[in-house]
Amino acid sequence: ALINDDLNVITMVFAGAGKKAKQYEGDIVYALLTANPLMTEDGLNLFVAGHNNLATVVGAPAAATLDDMDNLISNHTDANGRRLNIPLTYCILPRALFGTSESFFNTIEYVNAAGDRLNNIWGAGRLKRVYEPRLNTVPATWYGAGPKGTTVVRVHLNGVQTPYLEQKSGWTVDGVELKVRYDVGAGLVDWRGLVRNP
């Protein structure tokens, strides 16, 4: 492998290292959601009753749960009391809820608790859906989010969004040194753009 890399071993190791770096980026983003960290602005956890971002209608995606989450996220106000009117844009769900959720989102009509047949306004691609296996550890918990820029941000050093890969052939030993560096961070913009359904 070291003489000619006939088996593309070194190439495969590099590709694997780059893929792992990109997985790490997702890890730190989803860790913020699941850790429920303290917000420096007020010292409260990200998801807490005081932030009005915990769903009051609990359950899988359905008209009632989505109406509730949309109401919560759109009624937030800024520091001056002005209504922000953030639209519910994303559903971030455990991969374990894929079948249940997509069954609802792909229906044209649904029957409510009173037995009325209603149009499914949440279907037809209105919400962007993200199914994430990292959230399967608590499979019943899912999240709603506003547009990009109102929730979690990722930052890259000098705007470089690809891992830095470097190799050096050994002189004193028959070997190759590989180096992968990926400078990425994640942070919460605001609790007002997120809502959790426990």
Side-chain angles (χ1 to χ4, degrees):
L2 291 173
I3 294 169
N4 293 316
D5 196 17
D6 289 335
L7 302 176
N8 292 321
V9 172
I10 295 171
T11 305
M12 289 182 351
V13 170
F14 259 129
K19 184 178 179 182
K20 183 67 178 169
K22 292 300 277 184
Q23 288 173 342
Y24 173 71
E25 182 174 343
D27 290 343
I28 61 174
V29 168
Y30 284 102
L32 285 172
L33 286 179
T34 57
N36 198 21
L38 290 175
M39 303 296 292
T40 54
E41 185 177 339
D42 59 5
L44 296 176
N45 289 93
L46 169 60
F47 298 107
V48 68
H51 285 162
N52 291 322
N53 63 358
L54 288 174
T56 58
V57 179
V58 177
T65 56
L66 291 166
D67 286 347
D68 175 58
M69 293 173 88
D70 183 57
N71 183 52
L72 287 170
I73 204 169
S74 65
N75 277 318
H76 285 298
T77 57
D78 64 14
N80 297 317
R82 289 187 298 258
R83 194 171 305 281
L84 295 173
N85 198 23
I86 300 170
L88 184 63
T89 308
Y90 290 89
C91 277
I92 306 165
L93 304 114
R95 183 69 188 184
L97 286 180
F98 178 81
T100 302
S101 302
E102 286 302 302
S103 292
F104 168 74
F105 286 118
N106 286 296
T107 58
I108 297 171
E109 296 179 326
Y110 69 95
V111 178
N112 67 9
D116 302 319
R117 186 174 293 276
L118 302 171
N119 289 332
N120 184 5
I121 64 161
W122 296 106
R126 179 169 176 183
L127 295 174
K128 297 177 180 108
R129 299 179 298 278
V130 178
Y131 294 97
E132 178 52 55
R134 292 177 183 93
L135 299 177
N136 282 347
T137 53
V138 188
T141 299
W142 56 284
Y143 305 86
K148 288 183 179 180
T150 63
T151 56
V152 177
V153 293
R154 292 170 298 160
V155 291
H156 300 88
L157 187 63
N158 290 329
V160 178
Q161 297 185 26
T162 55
Y164 172 79
L165 308 171
E166 187 176 351
Q167 90 178 48
K168 180 174 77 172
S169 297
W171 178 254
T172 58
V173 295
D174 289 330
V176 176
E177 293 181 65
L178 304 174
K179 178 169 66 174
V180 180
R181 180 176 66 239
Y182 191 42
D183 299 308
V184 60
L188 293 161
V189 176
D190 198 346
W191 68 81
R192 295 171 183 91
L194 291 164
V195 59
R196 182 173 74 180
N197 189 309

